[in-house]
């Protein structure tokens, strides 16, 4: 079968190619550039717990060694501390701040070592043709040629050629926020902690900045972002240097500390959402499908979740034949999450950026606004928390044995230690992204006994038989405990780490029905029956 064609060699495109390769699907990545990225210290990303773990699984690189996990977060309004949060040294919930070229470099290195991924540099897409059996892409440049694929995914950024070639509209808002950005090496009085300073009391050079953010990077480097007022006021080098000096002096009691300016830029945030994310065998992901980033949210986080969601569905179609319900669910699930994120930002922006009005007289308003911004920066709440697929078309219908646990159906599962089929202890998250559903039995006491003593006892033989009979590949794991899950409950988890259901005990019929729904089978059958009824 033909490989999957991935257009775009940014972090999302490379991550998608690696995720497909981990599931034994060959890929061709079309890179319009020369195959390398110039270091830009001022272009950084903040990765949440799940997306950092995804990148580490794909690259084999411990990203903590190349970035900084925040030791804490502090929010200040004028001179008053509004919020202060400390993270433990090994707290995985601490956001990871890292240069984007470091992330891309790790992904490129992993692609270079992956025999199932071919990277075609200097290959600019200019044509797509679809047939029932596949898709053909044409590239121009020194290596211009035709490429034949089973599917094609556009990960080619905000100006996506793929999106334009398949005629998908990309409505939204332009210049929702604009920031002046600087990366510099200096000493600040809160080592390792990020800071959001609203309404700083010192005078600003040039266009007024009502908010400045400082986020640490390795080797004493900081990224500073100044929120600029609406409009197109020019930020000259002189204005930016004056702003740096004023800000540093304001944070260090009046004297500007020594600093080494490494990089500068102006970052403009747009909010857009593609009308469709799938046209036949062509899909969109990352910035080609959506743009967001106001109020501290991170677009790359969502792009990586796109790749994680789409990879296992394409891999299933590649190996077992397409189930249209499964492929369609990518757009349904991911577009709904992004739309909710954009709605939350659109509702918060007038309150946070409007100025004046009730917020000047309502007690506690400033603290509520600070909580909204904190959520965006720390990946919490409607602005930042990982999306749940509560209304997914892959959700099973009523199951007799379904029970509530600490994770709602459709939400990302909690990472717990499990025993794999070979008897080794691993983290649940380490078993994700392999193309198989995960069946997790909660069995207290199994962690202190050798596997051979319990693998053939109790409910295990019956559960193992039920897993073998499922209509799709599945792996059986055992956990000592899971939040709010009673003993002998059984969790069914998708390859991208979202909970399908939790069952009370071993219920082969319920487990089969849930697994069939999770891979699009039940929905497909319902559609076929409905079509026949007409």
């Amino acid at each position: 079968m033909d490989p999957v064609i991935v257009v775009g060699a940014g972090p999302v495109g490379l991550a998608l190619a690696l995720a497909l390769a981990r599931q034994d699907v060959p890929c061709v990545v079309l890179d319009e550039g020369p195959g390398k990225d110039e270091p830009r210290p001022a272009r950084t990303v903040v990765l949440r717990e799940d997306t950092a773990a995804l990148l580490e699984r794909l690259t084999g690189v411990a990203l903590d060694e190349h970035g900084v996990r925040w030791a804490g977060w502090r929010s200040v309004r004028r001179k008053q501390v509004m919020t202060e949060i400390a993270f433990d040294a090994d707290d995985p919930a601490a956001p990871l701040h890292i240069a984007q070229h470091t992330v891309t470099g790790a992904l490129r290195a992993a692609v270079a070592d992956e025999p199932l991924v071919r990277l075609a540099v200097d290959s600019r897409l200019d044509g797509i043709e679809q047939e029932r059996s596949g898709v053909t892409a044409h590239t121009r440049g020194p290596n211009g040629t035709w490429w034949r694929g089973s599917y094609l995914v556009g990960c080619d950024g905000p100006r996506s050629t793929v999106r334009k070639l398949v005629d998908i509209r990309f409505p939204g808002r332009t210049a929702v926020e604009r920031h002046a950005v600087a990366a510099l090496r200096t000493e600040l009085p809160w080592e390792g902690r990020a800071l959001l300073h609203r309404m700083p009391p010192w005078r600003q050079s040039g266009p007024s900045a009502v908010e400045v953010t400082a986020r640490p990077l390795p080797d004493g480097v900081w990224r500073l972002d100044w929120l600029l007022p609406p409009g197109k006021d020019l930020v000259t080098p002189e204005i930016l240097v004056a702003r740096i000096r004023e800000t540093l002096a304001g944070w260090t009691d009046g004297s500007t500390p020594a600093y080494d300016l490494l990089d500068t830029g102006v970052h403009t945030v747009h909010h857009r959402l593609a009308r469709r994310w799938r046209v036949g065998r062509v899909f969109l992901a990352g910035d080609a499908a959506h743009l967001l980033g106001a109020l501290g949210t991170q677009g790359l986080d969502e792009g990586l979740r796109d790749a994680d969601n789409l990879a296992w569905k394409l891999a299933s179609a590649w190996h077992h034949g397409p189930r249209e319900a499964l492929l369609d669910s990518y757009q349904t699930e991911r577009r709904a999450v992004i739309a909710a994120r954009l709605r939350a930002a659109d509702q918060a922006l007038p309150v946070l950026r409007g100025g004046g009005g009730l917020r000047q007289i309502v007690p506690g308003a400033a603290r509520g606004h600070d909580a909204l911004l904190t959520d965006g920066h720390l990946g919490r709440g409607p602005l930042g928390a990982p999306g749940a697929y509560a209304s997914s078309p892959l959700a099973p219908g009523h199951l007799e044995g379904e029970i509530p646990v600490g994770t709602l159906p459709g939400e990302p599962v909690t990472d717990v230690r499990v025993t794999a089929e070979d008897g080794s202890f691993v983290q649940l998250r380490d078993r994700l992204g392999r193309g198989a559903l995960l069946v997790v039995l909660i069995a207290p006491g199994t962690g202190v006994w050798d596997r051979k003593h319990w693998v053939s006892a109790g409910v295990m033989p019956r559960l193992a038989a039920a897993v073998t009979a499922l209509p799709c590949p599945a792996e059986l794991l055992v956990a000592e405990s899971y939040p709010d899950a009673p003993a002998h409950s059984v969790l069914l988890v998708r390859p991208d780490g979202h909970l399908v259901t939790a069952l009370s005990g071993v219920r082969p019929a319920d487990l089969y029905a849930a697994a069939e729904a999770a891979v699009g089978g039940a929905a497909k059958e319902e559609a076929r029956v409905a079509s026949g009824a007409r």
Side-chain angles (χ1 to χ4, degrees):
M1 191 169 174
D2 294 318
V4 172
I5 300 172
V6 177
V7 182
V12 174
L14 295 171
L16 175 61
L18 286 169
L20 288 166
R22 297 295 186 267
Q23 298 171 68
D24 299 318
V25 177
C27 298
V28 172
V29 180
L30 304 182
D31 184 358
E32 70 176 38
K36 60 181 180 180
D37 299 273
E38 295 298 325
R40 285 292 310 276
R43 191 175 187 186
T44 65
V45 295
V46 178
L47 299 175
R48 315 306 184 197
E49 179 185 2
D50 59 330
T51 50
L54 169 64
L55 287 173
E56 291 185 352
R57 287 199 306 273
L58 295 176
T59 63
V61 174
L63 296 179
D64 285 26
E65 298 176 3
H66 303 277
V68 168
R69 282 203 183 271
W70 296 350
W73 165 268
R74 189 162 62 139
S75 177
V76 178
R77 190 172 188 271
R78 301 190 188 278
K79 295 183 178 182
Q80 180 184 4
V81 175
M82 306 293 291
T83 304
E84 193 151 17
I85 298 171
F87 296 107
D88 294 335
D90 57 349
D91 187 349
L96 174 66
H97 190 209
I98 189 169
Q100 182 164 318
H101 66 261
T102 301
V103 173
T104 308
L107 288 165
R108 284 191 183 276
V111 163
D113 291 335
E114 176 52 68
L116 287 178
V117 180
R118 177 181 177 183
L119 182 63
V121 301
D122 297 318
S123 297
R124 184 177 181 83
L125 181 76
D126 65 0
I128 297 174
E129 295 179 2
Q130 290 198 67
E131 305 88 32
R132 185 178 181 83
S133 60
V135 59
T136 304
H138 185 265
T139 55
R140 56 185 171 88
N143 300 315
T145 187
W146 290 95
W147 302 87
R148 181 67 179 175
S150 53
Y151 297 93
L152 183 147
V153 186
C155 305
D156 48 344
R159 296 180 176 86
S160 172
T161 301
V162 173
R163 190 181 64 239
K164 295 170 184 173
L165 289 173
V166 294
D167 194 26
I168 295 176
R169 293 183 59 204
F170 198 38
R173 300 171 59 197
T174 300
V176 176
E177 288 187 346
R178 199 166 62 108
H179 299 259
V181 182
L184 50 91
R185 183 177 285 108
T186 190
E187 288 188 16
L188 291 178
W190 44 80
E191 182 179 359
R193 290 176 291 160
L195 171 74
L196 172 68
H197 198 159
R198 304 190 73 203
M199 307 295 180
W202 55 85
R203 184 182 65 84
Q204 294 289 333
S205 295
S208 62
V210 297
E211 183 177 299
V212 57
T213 307
R215 291 173 282 194
L217 286 162
D219 303 322
V221 176
W222 293 80
R223 170 172 165 168
L224 273 56
D225 291 62
W226 294 266
L227 177 67
L228 299 174
K232 298 182 179 179
D233 294 320
L234 184 64
V235 181
T236 65
E238 294 77 16
I239 289 176
L240 187 54
V241 168
R243 179 161 291 169
I244 291 170
R245 295 181 62 83
E246 287 177 349
T247 301
L248 295 181
W251 286 339
T252 53
D253 298 325
S255 59
T256 303
Y259 69 91
D260 182 13
L261 184 59
L262 306 176
D263 192 19
T264 62
V266 174
H267 173 54
T268 303
V269 175
H270 310 286
H271 278 181
R272 294 187 179 277
L273 182 62
R275 292 288 191 195
R276 293 181 291 167
W277 291 27
R278 180 190 181 194
V279 177
R281 290 178 173 265
V282 176
F283 298 80
L284 301 179
D287 286 352
H290 51 78
L291 294 175
L292 71 165
L295 308 179
T297 57
Q298 296 289 319
L300 179 58
D301 250 15
E302 297 298 351
L304 292 171
R305 291 178 183 128
D306 293 347
D308 201 23
N309 183 291
L310 181 58
W312 72 273
K313 297 171 181 178
L314 284 180
S316 176
W318 198 90
H319 286 295
H320 309 295
R323 290 185 172 183
E324 295 305 313
L326 182 63
L327 294 177
D328 284 344
S329 71
Y330 165 66
Q331 171 180 305
T332 304
E333 292 177 345
R334 292 299 306 151
R335 193 177 186 279
V337 166
I338 301 300
R341 189 86 78 230
L342 290 174
R343 282 195 300 272
D346 283 344
Q347 291 168 2
L349 274 164
V351 176
L352 294 171
R353 308 299 192 214
L358 289 176
R359 73 176 185 173
Q360 300 295 331
I361 59 175
V362 176
R367 195 165 295 278
H369 301 162
D370 174 77
L372 277 173
L373 285 167
T374 297
D375 283 350
H377 282 277
L378 297 186
R380 308 186 309 193
L383 284 176
Y389 307 138
S391 301
S392 170
L394 304 181
H398 173 71
L399 299 171
E400 189 71 27
E402 189 168 35
I403 58 172
V405 294
T407 301
L408 294 175
E411 290 184 344
V413 293
T414 301
D415 191 26
V416 296
R417 192 178 80 153
V418 296
T419 305
E421 292 181 349
D422 62 1
S424 61
F425 292 111
V426 296
Q427 291 300 121
L428 177 58
R429 187 173 279 149
D430 293 339
R431 311 308 288 182
L432 300 176
R434 297 167 178 244
L437 297 177
L438 303 181
V439 179
V440 185
L441 171 67
I442 310 305
T446 51
V448 299
W449 296 98
D450 191 283
R451 183 175 181 272
K452 66 183 180 182
H453 295 304
W454 51 259
V455 71
S456 59
V459 301
M460 277 297 292
R462 187 163 176 245
L463 180 57
V467 171
T468 302
L470 292 180
C472 54
E475 181 181 8
L476 176 56
L477 304 168
V478 180
E480 277 267 353
S481 63
Y482 188 88
D484 298 329
H488 302 144
S489 55
V490 175
L491 312 184
L492 183 63
V493 182
R494 299 178 1 166
D496 59 355
H498 288 255
L499 182 69
V500 179
T501 189
L503 301 173
S504 174
V506 179
R507 297 173 175 265
D510 281 353
L511 189 62
Y512 189 98
E516 186 179 42
V519 295
K524 180 182 179 182
E525 178 63 16
E526 289 170 4
R528 185 189 67 78
V529 171
S531 176
R534 290 196 297 269

